[in-house]
Amino acid sequence: MLAKVLSGTNIGLDGVMITVEVDVAERGFPGFTIVGLPDKSVDEAKERVRAAIINTSFEMPDTRLTVNLAPADIHKIGSGFDLPIAVGILAAAGMIKKESLKNSLFLGELSLEGEVRRVPGVLPIALSAVSKKIERIFLPLGNVSEASLVEQIEIYPMKNMGELILHLNGEILIPPTPGIEFKQNMNYEDCYLFENIKGQETAKRACEIAAAGFHNLLLKGPPGTGKTLLSRAFSTILPPLEKDEILEITKIYSVAGLLKNSFYISSRPFRSPHHTTSRIGLVGGGSNPTPGEISLAHRGVLFLDEFSEFPRTVIESLRQPMEDGLITISRAQGSLTFPSRFLLLAASNPCPCGYLGHPKKSCRCLPGAILKYKKRLSGPLLDRIDLHIDVPPVEESDLISDSLSESSEIIRSRVVKARIKQKQRFKGLKIYTNSEMGPSEIKKFTRLDSVALELLKKAISRLSLSARSYFKTIKIAQTITDLSGKEVVGSEAVAEALQYRSHDD
C-alpha cells in the first residue's frame, strides 16, 4: 500500500515542500530503503524510525519498505524527516487514517522511545506552508513557539509519536497553539550605557548619527580611550525592531539552529566575532552553506574589535556585502543567497603599539611597521565606511567628574524620531534607512539648499572625494538633518558630514 505525507526542508533561507512517499509492499524480502537524494543523517532515520514505532507499541511492517523523498533532485539534509517517514509507514500499513493526513505538514526528529525532538529551520518551512495553502502543521513541542509567529496556519504541538497517532485516528484531541504577540527586549546591562561613558562627545555624536541612518562607523584611537565601551553601548541607542524585521532575522537564526531558549529574536543582533575568525565563519559557507556572522548581524550590528588584526583576506570579503546588503555563496551543487544588511562598527589602533599621535605617550613603532599596519586596511574598504572618528584620550576633568552624560534613553528617542521620518520617506520601497539609498533615491528624496550644494562642489575637488564618498556624504547629511527635525539639507549638515569622512594622517 502507498501513503503520502507532506514535510519540508530548507534551501538557504527558503522553505521547500517535500512529499514523503512510502510504499509497504505486500510481498518481498524485508528491507528498508530511502531514496530521493538523502544525506547520511536522513539515511540513519531508518533505525530511529524502526525503534520509535516499536517502542510506541505499534508493529513495524515485516516486509519491503521503500521511502521516496520527492522531488528527488533536491539534496535532503537533517533529522526532520523522521516523523513524516514514521507517519507514512503507519499510514501505508493501515494503522493511521490516510484522510487525516490531507493538507497537513509533519516535521520532527524521533528518539528511540518515540519522543519528538525539535529541529532547526522550522520558521521558513512554516512560512512556505502558508504560501502553499496548507492548513495544519504538526511540530515538536520545542518548535511550536517559533512557528507561532506565522499566522493563517494551525500549529499542533507534540510530545511523542503515540500522542500524534491517537490524534490522527480521532481518539484524543491535541488543541492547536494560539498565535503570540511580538514583544521588544529593551533591557540592557547597566555598565554599557552612554550616561556612564566619560567624555568622548564627538564619538557619541557619531554613534548617534550611525544609529539613526544605519551608517558604518570606524573608531580609531589609542588603547584605553573607550572605543570598545562605546561600541558595546551602541546597541542601547538602536531603535526597536519592526515586525517584518523580527521575522526576517528569526528566519536566519532558525536555519542556523541558534534559537535555543528564545523562540524569536526580540532585539537587534550584536555580533562580535574574534579577529581569528575565518572567512567562512564571517561570510558563511561550508559544504552545506550556512549563514555567517554578517548574516547573523542582519538588521543589527557587526562589531569588529581590533579591526586591523583581522586577516586581510577576511575583511576584504566584506566589500560586496557592505555594498549590496546580501552575500551569494556558490558551490558545486548550486548557489545560495543570504541577507547581510548589517551596520559595520569597527575599532582599531593607529599603529601596532597603539600610541601614534598620543599627546603624552610616544609611539615605539618604526615607520615601516606603521606603514605595513595601515596597509592591512585597503582604500576601497575604508571608502565603504561612512563615518571615521578619531577617539583621543579622555580629558582628566571629564574622567574625575561625577556628572553623568546624556543617557542612552534620550539619545535613542532622537534616533527613533529620525527613523520614523525615514520610514515615512521610503514608504512602499524595500529600504528602511538613509544608508540604503542609491543615486536614484538620493535624487528623488534629498533636497539640498544652494549653499550646501556649493559646499559639496568645493569638497569634491579639494578633498578628492570619490563618487561613493560624494553620495555617502549626502546620505550622512540627510541623517543629520533628520535628527535636527529639518526638511532641507543645509550647509551645516554637509559640513558636519564632511568631517566624518576618511582622511590621511
Side-chain angles (χ1 to χ4, degrees), residues 293-490:
E293 290 291 340
I294 63 173
S295 296
L296 295 173
H298 183 63
R299 299 295 175 191
V301 177
L302 177 67
F303 174 47
L304 301 184
D305 201 5
E306 304 297 341
F307 193 38
S308 299
E309 297 298 331
F310 281 80
R312 180 161 180 166
T313 55
V314 173
I315 56 177
E316 290 300 316
S317 63
L318 294 174
R319 287 196 201 179
Q320 183 251 340
M322 288 171 65
E323 200 75 11
D324 300 337
L326 51 87
I327 179 70
T328 300
I329 301 169
S330 298
R331 294 292 182 267
Q333 60 186 15
S335 298
L336 293 177
T337 299
F338 297 112
S340 59
R341 184 66 68 181
F342 59 90
L343 188 156
L344 176 64
L345 180 57
S348 174
N349 294 324
C351 67
C353 78
Y355 293 106
L356 180 66
H358 196 285
K360 295 182 179 179
K361 295 184 179 181
S362 58
C363 176
R364 304 186 302 272
C365 304
L366 296 174
I370 296 174
L371 184 62
K372 183 179 179 182
Y373 189 79
K374 289 183 177 180
K375 282 186 175 180
R376 293 184 180 182
L377 303 177
S378 68
L381 179 66
L382 292 174
D383 199 41
R384 285 170 166 82
I385 299 177
D386 307 50
L387 305 167
H388 296 250
I389 299 298
D390 288 324
V391 186
V394 183
E395 295 291 337
E396 296 174 2
S397 58
D398 292 330
L399 196 59
I400 63 176
S401 174
D402 293 331
S403 60
L404 291 175
S405 302
E406 196 173 33
S407 69
S408 292
E409 187 177 355
I410 294 174
I411 299 173
R412 185 171 64 247
S413 65
R414 291 198 298 265
V415 169
V416 169
K417 289 179 181 177
R419 285 289 186 97
I420 291 172
K421 292 192 70 173
Q422 294 169 59
K423 184 179 179 181
Q424 294 170 348
R425 179 181 299 131
F426 305 128
K427 189 176 182 180
L429 301 178
K430 293 183 178 181
I431 60 177
Y432 293 84
T433 58
N434 290 330
S435 66
E436 299 173 56
M437 286 193 295
S440 59
E441 286 84 16
I442 291 174
K443 185 177 180 180
K444 181 178 179 180
F445 296 112
T446 303
R447 293 187 294 161
L448 291 88
D449 63 26
S450 58
V451 181
L453 194 58
E454 189 64 29
L455 182 59
L456 267 176
K457 289 178 182 178
K458 293 178 181 178
I460 293 173
S461 58
R462 292 186 182 181
L463 301 179
S464 301
L465 294 180
S466 66
R468 182 186 289 113
S469 294
Y470 169 75
F471 287 119
K472 282 189 177 295
T473 301
I474 295 177
K475 289 188 280 189
I476 296 169
Q478 180 65 70
T479 301
I480 295 169
T481 304
D482 291 339
L483 284 168
S484 66
K486 298 178 181 178
E487 298 298 329
V488 179
V489 178

Side-chain angles (χ1 to χ4, degrees), residues 73-107:
D73 61 338
I74 296 176
H75 191 50
K76 319 300 188 307
I77 302 172
S79 56
F81 295 106
D82 291 6
L83 183 65
I85 290 174
V87 170
I89 290 172
L90 294 175
M95 302 180 207
I96 293 178
K97 299 175 182 178
K98 290 185 181 180
E99 56 270 18
S100 64
L101 306 181
K102 292 181 179 179
N103 234 353
S104 300
L105 186 144
F106 298 83
L107 200 65

